[in-house]
Amino acid sequence: MSALYAATLQTFKAQGWHYREVTGMEVLEADFEAHHTKVALHVQIYGEAHIATVVATASLQVAHTHRLQVSELLMRTNKELNLGNFELDWDSGAVMFRLTNIFPPHRYDERILATLVHTTIAETDRLTPFLGEICNTPKGELILLRVRDLMKREDLLPPAPTEEP
């Protein structure tokens, strides 16, 4: 077990997060309840390279008829992100958010690991209602859908987080 994987396990335990270890790999999987959706999370550690990658998969699958509009949504969203990126698996229609951090050797800050998880969940949850609006648009009405205008809808955003004492 790499030291980074051990730190990741400790982070999940310290946060009280339930997880599943993938046998034979330095991978944790977990499900989180967010504001809009349940977020499936996959955390993979590359111990020798000191890399942690956190990937969330959106709960919605994108039909092939809707992939162009979803691709525009992801491209426009990625343009505004500081960390991470959204991806669309063109063949399966799966939408994912990926966030990676390279750590200095033997300096695996659990706060950073927890932030990677929190950020991945938050970004996936934030995108979900916009993704749902596109996926639920009838195929014949997609030509009328303006992704740029859809992204301006503040009613689809989760509430801002409150400060913890």
Side-chain angles (χ1 to χ4, degrees):
M1 177 186 304
S2 72
L4 179 53
Y5 186 62
T8 304
L9 285 169
Q10 179 55 38
T11 300
F12 270 70
K13 290 174 186 172
Q15 295 289 325
W17 296 333
H18 296 283
Y19 61 90
R20 300 172 300 282
E21 290 187 72
V22 175
T23 307
M25 303 178 74
E26 292 194 331
V27 172
L28 299 179
E29 293 183 337
D31 298 306
F32 290 88
E33 289 292 334
H35 180 75
H36 289 113
T37 189
K38 188 174 198 175
V39 177
L41 203 71
H42 177 95
V43 181
Q44 185 152 9
I45 302 302
Y46 303 92
E48 289 184 21
H50 313 287
I51 296 173
T53 297
V54 182
V55 179
T57 303
S59 56
L60 299 168
Q61 290 289 116
V62 181
H64 72 278
T65 54
H66 290 63
R67 292 193 183 147
L68 183 60
Q69 287 80 8
V70 168
S71 294
E72 181 182 352
L73 172 69
L74 301 182
M75 181 272 311
R76 289 182 181 281
T77 301
N78 283 340
K79 184 178 173 184
E80 302 301 321
L81 292 174
N82 291 314
L83 296 171
N85 64 284
F86 282 98
E87 304 169 5
L88 172 64
D89 181 316
W90 196 262
D91 296 325
S92 72
V95 174
M96 296 157 284
F97 181 80
R98 182 181 314 272
L99 183 56
T100 300
N101 193 71
I102 303 171
F103 290 87
H106 312 295
R107 292 182 33 210
Y108 311 122
D109 189 328
E110 291 179 19
R111 293 171 301 176
I112 293 173
L113 288 163
T115 298
L116 294 172
V117 170
H118 283 291
T119 301
T120 301
I121 294 166
E123 290 296 347
T124 302
D125 188 53
R126 183 174 65 89
L127 183 82
T128 296
F130 297 96
L131 185 60
E133 287 290 318
I134 294 173
C135 290
N136 292 325
T137 299
K139 183 174 96 171
E141 295 177 22
L142 284 172
I143 195 163
L144 303 173
L145 180 70
R146 298 288 178 254
V147 174
R148 184 181 313 178
D149 294 337
L150 173 65
M151 293 178 70
K152 293 176 185 174
R153 288 191 46 195
E154 292 186 14
D155 63 306
L156 298 177
L157 295 172
T162 58
E163 288 288 323
E164 291 184 30

